[in-house]
Amino acid sequence: METTVGMSSVLEQDIREKFRRSGYTLTSQRRAVLEALKEARGHPSAEDVYLTVKRKNPRVALGTVYQALSVLEEIGVVDSKHWSESPTRYDLNVEPHLDIRCARCGAVSEIPGVELGELEENIRYNTPYEVKRTTIVVEGLCPSCREA
Amino acid sequence: METTVGMSSVLEQDIREKFRRSGYTLTSQRRAVLEALKEARGHPSAEDVYLTVKRKNPRVALGTVYQALSVLEEIGVVDSKHWSESPTRYDLNVEPHLDIRCARCGAVSEIPGVELGELEENIRYNTPYEVKRTTIVVEGLCPSCREA
DNA sequence: CTTCGGAATAGGAATGGTTACTGATTGGAG
DNA sequence: CTCCAATCAGTAACCATTCCTATTCCGAAG
Ligand SMILES: [Mn+2]
Ligand SMILES: [Mn+2]
Ligand SMILES: [Zn+2]
Ligand SMILES: [Zn+2]
């Protein structure tokens, strides 16, 4: 099977397009950050991404990873979420969805199948603020931590 | 009108009871933190609370305020919420409700009238995690900032 | 009213995630 | 190839929060 050929997947095309429209340049470091996000199983922190990127390119600076992540977030390629007692977690899934973090081991995973439909519009209807984003953050104990 | 007499309001009784059950002691510093939270208009940060408490008792330490807030949160008297680009905000309203923060001036206010009813149970139904808490955090521009 | 032991506090140092700064590097337009 | 703006690496600074320790406070027991 050859569903992807290097940098030519559908996802990549979309990302290229978002970079083009934004005026930012798709540098090798930013590509490396994207690759690290793809490889990561869960929802990595900036530090996690940094360590992954460093394996292939030991010269990257942590600050570059932060800057890349913030550019990627600005152009809508990645999303970030904040839990208390954890550094910011990054996510290639930019659709509205739920993520839950284990309070004990820190693992983050997604909660599929929850209907959020009217929430955002209800919010817009009930506040005079111009709503930019709504983030739902769930905390709990993962299956292996709840038995311990 | 005399709806409250010093420390004897209904709210105070409830708080006393929560302290009694928890085993923590209701010290003067913790009372002062509660007073500061009541006085505060919006959703103050720990630093805001600290500055308010300091006006009456200049000897309090910032660390004490943090510790008091964490005790108060643990026993269910206050709630806290996290937005990116802002220190943690504290709230005497511990019922599930929505708060929105202005991305420009930082003001936090509540969004009444949004029905959250089945969200929490939908979440519990769709994840193997043991859900501890769900926090919804809304970001936007307040009426005065949106025109600027 | 004293004494005693554990809890809480003041003050300040340390931590950790994130951002800011600066001089060097890069890569694309011309 | 040359030039310029964007980006980068490396490092220092920042800021919210936590940690540490000697001192103080408080409440139960006598
Ligand atoms: Mn996710
Ligand atoms: Mn609130
Ligand atoms: Zn876990
Ligand atoms: Zn505003």
Side-chain angles (χ1 to χ4, degrees):
Chain A
M1 288 209 301
E2 292 191 35
T3 52
T4 64
V5 181
M7 293 282 112
S8 306
S9 66
V10 174
L11 180 61
E12 274 300 331
Q13 292 296 26
D14 179 47
I15 289 171
R16 274 176 195 278
E17 175 60 15
K18 284 178 174 165
F19 266 99
R20 201 190 52 68
R21 277 206 306 268
S22 72
Y24 288 113
T25 51
L26 179 42
T27 64
S28 67
Q29 289 90 342
R30 287 170 184 169
R31 242 196 297 272
V33 165
L34 279 169
E35 288 303 318
L37 285 167
K38 273 189 224 160
E39 286 178 31
R41 286 173 202 287
H43 293 65
S45 66
E47 175 99 25
D48 295 335
V49 171
Y50 170 61
L51 292 174
T52 303
V53 169
K54 239 185 142 177
R55 272 195 266 119
K56 290 190 175 171
N57 176 4
R59 291 184 60 77
V60 287
L62 177 56
T64 302
V65 170
Y66 273 104
Q67 193 263 4
L69 287 168
S70 106
V71 166
L72 290 169
E73 183 165 14
E74 185 186 332
I75 68 180
V77 172
V78 313
D79 201 3
S80 69
K81 285 180 183 165
H82 289 269
W83 284 262
S84 54
E85 301 175 28
S86 169
T88 304
R89 303 301 198 89
Y90 295 88
D91 196 344
L92 276 180
N93 182 353
V94 296
E95 300 303 314
H97 69 282
L98 297 178
D99 290 306
I100 185 167
R101 174 176 180 275
C102 176
R104 192 158 167 281
C105 72
V108 172
S109 48
E110 307 206 336
I111 308 176
V114 178
E115 187 54 52
L116 300 175
E118 300 143 48
L119 180 61
E120 184 104 3
E121 41 189 288
N122 282 350
I123 289 174
R124 287 180 201 280
Y125 184 76
N126 283 284
T127 180
Y129 282 53
E130 180 185 330
V131 177
K132 292 286 191 190
R133 62 198 282 240
T134 299
T135 310
I136 304 179
V137 145
V138 189
E139 211 173 344
L141 288 177
C142 76
S144 39
C145 285
R146 70 192 300 182
E147 32 186 82
Chain B
M1 287 209 303
E2 292 191 37
T3 52
T4 65
V5 182
M7 292 285 111
S8 305
S9 67
V10 173
L11 180 60
E12 274 299 331
Q13 292 295 27
D14 178 47
I15 290 171
R16 273 175 196 279
E17 175 60 16
K18 283 178 173 165
F19 266 99
R20 202 191 52 69
R21 277 207 306 269
S22 71
Y24 288 114
T25 52
L26 179 43
T27 65
S28 66
Q29 289 90 342
R30 287 169 185 171
R31 245 196 297 270
V33 165
L34 278 169
E35 288 303 318
L37 285 168
K38 273 188 224 161
E39 286 178 32
R41 285 171 205 287
H43 293 65
S45 67
E47 174 100 24
D48 295 335
V49 171
Y50 171 60
L51 293 174
T52 303
V53 169
K54 239 185 144 178
R55 272 195 265 120
K56 290 191 177 172
N57 175 3
R59 291 184 62 79
V60 286
L62 178 57
T64 302
V65 171
Y66 274 103
Q67 194 263 6
L69 287 168
S70 108
V71 166
L72 290 169
E73 183 165 13
E74 185 186 332
I75 69 180
V77 173
V78 313
D79 201 2
S80 68
K81 285 179 183 166
H82 253 75
W83 283 262
S84 53
E85 302 175 28
S86 169
T88 304
R89 304 300 197 90
Y90 295 88
D91 197 344
L92 276 180
N93 182 353
V94 296
E95 300 304 314
H97 70 282
L98 297 178
D99 291 306
I100 184 166
R101 174 177 180 275
C102 176
R104 190 157 168 282
C105 72
V108 172
S109 48
E110 308 206 335
I111 307 176
V114 178
E115 187 54 54
L116 301 175
E118 300 142 48
L119 180 62
E120 184 104 2
E121 42 190 285
N122 282 352
I123 289 173
R124 286 179 202 281
Y125 184 75
N126 282 284
T127 180
Y129 282 53
E130 179 185 330
V131 177
K132 294 286 192 191
R133 64 197 281 239
T134 300
T135 310
I136 304 179
V137 146
V138 190
E139 210 174 345
L141 287 178
C142 76
S144 39
C145 286
R146 70 192 300 182
E147 28 186 87

